[in-house]
Structure formats: structure tokens, C-alpha cells
Amino acid sequence: MRALTIQVLGFIRYLRPDRNPLRRPLDRLHSRLVAVLGALFLITGVIASALMIHFVDGAGLRAEHRQARTRYQVDAVVTATGAAASRNGVEQETRLRWLDRTGRWHNGGVVPAGDDHVGVHRRVWINQAGDLTARPRTHAQTLTDTTLAVFAALTSLMILHAGAYAAVNRRLERRRMVLWENAWAATAPRWTGRS
């Protein structure tokens, strides 16, 4: 914990403006760059999160309400169990028959449950047309989708900001090396006695 505190304080001290004569203007530019990119990440992160919450959560809530109005459960009777052809080969399927709200009979196949045999009743979800469908969307699904969208947006922004920082830092590092070599070329003869 102490080492982390020292690192954080050192980072803050690095970013803080000072009048250190050994600190070059390029170093000050670098610290400003870190501060600006950090502030930019915070601002764009908040905006991106708000947009994701608005659009993804809004779409999820609309889907919840629409599906709650248009999907309902009915009692279906198992008419057959066994193998059925599918795109992936032969799979097990349970055939059902159910009555929709208008009084029309429908047939369809579902994934078998453990106790399926002819004559057993199962509860299934159907849409307004009477066709089999998935259960209505839950609020937990909407919250999960919204959380994942916010996380994806923040991750994308972090990668974008890290890339921008790496590109600019590389240029600054090249410039730092040129300045250091020039300063060493001027200082080396005095220290080493060689020209």
C-alpha cells in the first residue's frame, strides 16, 4: 500500500506545474499531455456512458413493453417425441399442439424436456400470430445489455486514448533523445577531456 501511495504522489508531483530548472519544456509538455488526455477521457467517458444508457436502455425498455404486450403463455400438449432433421443433422424434438386466443390450433416443435411423452402438458410462449416464440425480455436482460454497452464504450475510448498517448509520447520521446544527444555532445568534451 505504501509503494502505491508513493507512486500516486510521484505521478501527481510529475503532473503539477513547477519551476524546476532541470525540467525541460518538453517534460512540461508531456505532463500537460497526460493531464489533457486524462481529462478528455473522463469527459468523453461520461458522455459515451450517458449515450449508451440512453439508447441501449431505452431500446431494451421498449422491447420489454412491446414483448410483454404481444407474447403470452398457453398450455400445449405433447403430440410426439423423437428425432427430427435439422441443419446440423438429426436432433431430438418434441412436437406440440396448442390453442391460441382466437381458438385456432397450432403445431410446432421445441427442444425436449426431461419428462416429455405424448399427452403431457407444457407451458409455451406464443406471439399474437399464435407461433412459438421466446419468453418476453426481462428487465435484468436490459440492465445487462446496458452495462455491457457502457463497458464496451469505455473500453473503446480507453484503447483510443492509449493509442493517441502512445503516438504522441513516441514523438516526444524521439525529440527528448535528440535534445539529450545535443546536450551530451556539448557536455561530454568538458567531462571526458575528449573533443
Side-chain angles (χ1 to χ4, degrees), residues 99-126:
L99 197 63
D100 69 9
R101 288 185 175 176
T102 63
R104 234 177 41 189
W105 285 99
H106 297 271
N107 294 307
V110 295
V111 176
D115 60 347
D116 280 348
H117 57 276
V118 176
V120 170
H121 290 262
R122 280 183 66 177
R123 299 288 288 171
V124 293
W125 288 95
I126 62 172

Side-chain angles (χ1 to χ4, degrees), residues 64-153:
E64 280 178 48
H65 297 307
R66 183 182 64 251
Q67 290 177 8
R69 284 192 317 270
T70 60
R71 296 179 182 186
Y72 55 95
Q73 274 189 308
V74 294
D75 194 36
V77 178
V78 175
T79 58
T81 59
S86 72
R87 278 187 260 159
N88 301 329
V90 177
E91 294 179 359
Q92 293 295 317
E93 182 182 60
T94 296
R95 299 295 298 168
L96 302 173
R97 182 177 169 96
W98 64 91
L99 197 63
D100 69 9
R101 288 185 175 176
T102 63
R104 234 177 41 189
W105 285 99
H106 297 271
N107 294 307
V110 295
V111 176
D115 60 347
D116 280 348
H117 57 276
V118 176
V120 170
H121 290 262
R122 280 183 66 177
R123 299 288 288 171
V124 293
W125 288 95
I126 62 172
N127 58 22
Q128 288 180 319
D131 299 325
L132 287 172
T133 189
R135 78 175 51 243
R137 181 181 183 84
T138 64
H139 191 62
Q141 288 172 308
T142 300
L143 290 176
T144 301
D145 289 350
T146 303
T147 303
L148 290 174
V150 168
F151 181 73

